PDB file of all heavy atoms in Angstrom:
ATOM      1  N   SER A  99     -11.200   9.754 -10.790  1.00  0.00           N
ATOM      2  CA  SER A  99      -9.831   9.449 -11.219  1.00  0.00           C
ATOM      3  C   SER A  99      -9.127   8.571 -10.169  1.00  0.00           C
ATOM      4  O   SER A  99      -8.052   7.891 -10.561  1.00  0.00           O
ATOM      5  CB  SER A  99      -9.024  10.743 -11.319  1.00  0.00           C
ATOM      6  OG  SER A  99      -9.627  11.659 -12.472  1.00  0.00           O
ATOM      7  N   ALA A 100      -9.469   8.652  -8.957  1.00  0.00           N
ATOM      8  CA  ALA A 100      -8.856   8.026  -7.956  1.00  0.00           C
ATOM      9  C   ALA A 100      -9.670   7.618  -6.736  1.00  0.00           C
ATOM     10  O   ALA A 100     -10.643   8.329  -6.382  1.00  0.00           O
ATOM     11  CB  ALA A 100      -7.569   8.780  -7.314  1.00  0.00           C
ATOM     12  N   ILE A 101      -9.291   6.446  -6.102  1.00  0.00           N
ATOM     13  CA  ILE A 101      -9.889   6.210  -4.937  1.00  0.00           C
ATOM     14  C   ILE A 101      -8.875   6.061  -3.816  1.00  0.00           C
ATOM     15  O   ILE A 101      -7.892   5.359  -3.943  1.00  0.00           O
ATOM     16  CB  ILE A 101     -10.777   4.815  -4.961  1.00  0.00           C
ATOM     17  CG1 ILE A 101     -11.917   4.982  -6.071  1.00  0.00           C
ATOM     18  CG2 ILE A 101     -11.382   4.323  -3.699  1.00  0.00           C
ATOM     19  CD1 ILE A 101     -12.532   3.765  -6.429  1.00  0.00           C
ATOM     20  N   PHE A 102      -9.060   6.625  -2.650  1.00  0.00           N
ATOM     21  CA  PHE A 102      -8.069   6.561  -1.652  1.00  0.00           C
ATOM     22  C   PHE A 102      -8.703   5.787  -0.441  1.00  0.00           C
ATOM     23  O   PHE A 102      -9.845   5.972  -0.060  1.00  0.00           O
ATOM     24  CB  PHE A 102      -7.671   7.948  -1.060  1.00  0.00           C
ATOM     25  CG  PHE A 102      -7.021   8.616  -2.181  1.00  0.00           C
ATOM     26  CD1 PHE A 102      -7.560   9.630  -2.850  1.00  0.00           C
ATOM     27  CD2 PHE A 102      -5.659   8.580  -2.298  1.00  0.00           C
ATOM     28  CE1 PHE A 102      -6.978  10.481  -3.750  1.00  0.00           C
ATOM     29  CE2 PHE A 102      -4.955   9.345  -3.247  1.00  0.00           C
ATOM     30  CZ  PHE A 102      -5.533  10.295  -3.993  1.00  0.00           C
ATOM     31  N   ILE A 103      -7.863   4.840  -0.039  1.00  0.00           N
ATOM     32  CA  ILE A 103      -8.297   3.903   1.234  1.00  0.00           C
ATOM     33  C   ILE A 103      -7.434   4.056   2.335  1.00  0.00           C
ATOM     34  O   ILE A 103      -6.138   3.689   2.181  1.00  0.00           O
ATOM     35  CB  ILE A 103      -8.445   2.424   0.786  1.00  0.00           C
ATOM     36  CG1 ILE A 103      -9.376   2.369  -0.583  1.00  0.00           C
ATOM     37  CG2 ILE A 103      -9.097   1.553   1.760  1.00  0.00           C
ATOM     38  CD1 ILE A 103      -9.408   0.980  -1.243  1.00  0.00           C
ATOM     39  N   ASP A 104      -7.842   4.576   3.423  1.00  0.00           N
ATOM     40  CA  ASP A 104      -6.939   4.845   4.642  1.00  0.00           C
ATOM     41  C   ASP A 104      -7.491   4.494   5.911  1.00  0.00           C
ATOM     42  O   ASP A 104      -8.376   5.069   6.440  1.00  0.00           O
ATOM     43  CB  ASP A 104      -6.658   6.356   4.590  1.00  0.00           C
ATOM     44  CG  ASP A 104      -5.755   6.891   5.647  1.00  0.00           C
ATOM     45  OD1 ASP A 104      -5.013   5.927   6.216  1.00  0.00           O
ATOM     46  OD2 ASP A 104      -5.756   8.061   6.005  1.00  0.00           O
ATOM     47  N   PRO A 105      -6.888   3.266   6.531  1.00  0.00           N
ATOM     48  CA  PRO A 105      -5.918   2.325   5.931  1.00  0.00           C
ATOM     49  C   PRO A 105      -6.695   1.210   5.303  1.00  0.00           C
ATOM     50  O   PRO A 105      -7.808   0.922   5.574  1.00  0.00           O
ATOM     51  CB  PRO A 105      -5.181   1.944   7.245  1.00  0.00           C
ATOM     52  CG  PRO A 105      -6.173   1.905   8.305  1.00  0.00           C
ATOM     53  CD  PRO A 105      -7.109   3.045   7.912  1.00  0.00           C
ATOM     54  N   ILE A 106      -6.075   0.485   4.451  1.00  0.00           N
ATOM     55  CA  ILE A 106      -6.667  -0.666   3.737  1.00  0.00           C
ATOM     56  C   ILE A 106      -7.174  -1.803   4.820  1.00  0.00           C
ATOM     57  O   ILE A 106      -8.133  -2.387   4.544  1.00  0.00           O
ATOM     58  CB  ILE A 106      -5.599  -1.258   2.767  1.00  0.00           C
ATOM     59  CG1 ILE A 106      -6.205  -2.364   2.008  1.00  0.00           C
ATOM     60  CG2 ILE A 106      -4.249  -1.768   3.511  1.00  0.00           C
ATOM     61  CD1 ILE A 106      -7.056  -1.930   0.918  1.00  0.00           C
ATOM     62  N   SER A 107      -6.543  -1.915   5.782  1.00  0.00           N
ATOM     63  CA  SER A 107      -6.904  -2.943   6.848  1.00  0.00           C
ATOM     64  C   SER A 107      -8.239  -2.706   7.349  1.00  0.00           C
ATOM     65  O   SER A 107      -8.919  -3.745   7.857  1.00  0.00           O
ATOM     66  CB  SER A 107      -5.799  -3.049   7.949  1.00  0.00           C
ATOM     67  OG  SER A 107      -5.670  -1.846   8.593  1.00  0.00           O
ATOM     68  N   SER A 108      -8.701  -1.432   7.409  1.00  0.00           N
ATOM     69  CA  SER A 108     -10.031  -1.242   8.009  1.00  0.00           C
ATOM     70  C   SER A 108     -11.093  -1.511   7.066  1.00  0.00           C
ATOM     71  O   SER A 108     -12.277  -1.472   7.483  1.00  0.00           O
ATOM     72  CB  SER A 108     -10.060   0.263   8.382  1.00  0.00           C
ATOM     73  OG  SER A 108      -9.199   0.526   9.486  1.00  0.00           O
ATOM     74  N   TYR A 109     -10.748  -1.792   5.861  1.00  0.00           N
ATOM     75  CA  TYR A 109     -11.910  -2.000   4.871  1.00  0.00           C
ATOM     76  C   TYR A 109     -11.925  -3.385   4.237  1.00  0.00           C
ATOM     77  O   TYR A 109     -12.528  -3.646   3.059  1.00  0.00           O
ATOM     78  CB  TYR A 109     -11.836  -0.938   3.785  1.00  0.00           C
ATOM     79  CG  TYR A 109     -12.148   0.485   4.373  1.00  0.00           C
ATOM     80  CD1 TYR A 109     -11.065   1.242   4.668  1.00  0.00           C
ATOM     81  CD2 TYR A 109     -13.342   0.971   4.561  1.00  0.00           C
ATOM     82  CE1 TYR A 109     -11.280   2.595   5.371  1.00  0.00           C
ATOM     83  CE2 TYR A 109     -13.595   2.106   5.197  1.00  0.00           C
ATOM     84  CZ  TYR A 109     -12.566   2.897   5.548  1.00  0.00           C
ATOM     85  OH  TYR A 109     -12.802   4.246   6.057  1.00  0.00           O
ATOM     86  N   LEU A 110     -11.218  -4.421   4.786  1.00  0.00           N
ATOM     87  CA  LEU A 110     -11.087  -5.710   4.167  1.00  0.00           C
ATOM     88  C   LEU A 110     -12.359  -6.607   4.500  1.00  0.00           C
ATOM     89  O   LEU A 110     -12.727  -7.294   3.580  1.00  0.00           O
ATOM     90  CB  LEU A 110      -9.875  -6.396   4.742  1.00  0.00           C
ATOM     91  CG  LEU A 110      -8.528  -5.889   4.421  1.00  0.00           C
ATOM     92  CD1 LEU A 110      -7.427  -6.651   5.245  1.00  0.00           C
ATOM     93  CD2 LEU A 110      -8.296  -5.896   2.966  1.00  0.00           C
TER      94      LEU A 110
END
Side-chain angles (χ1 to χ4, degrees):
S99 295
I101 298 175
F102 294 98
I103 306 173
D104 180 17
I106 185 72
S107 57
S108 294
Y109 295 98
L110 296 173

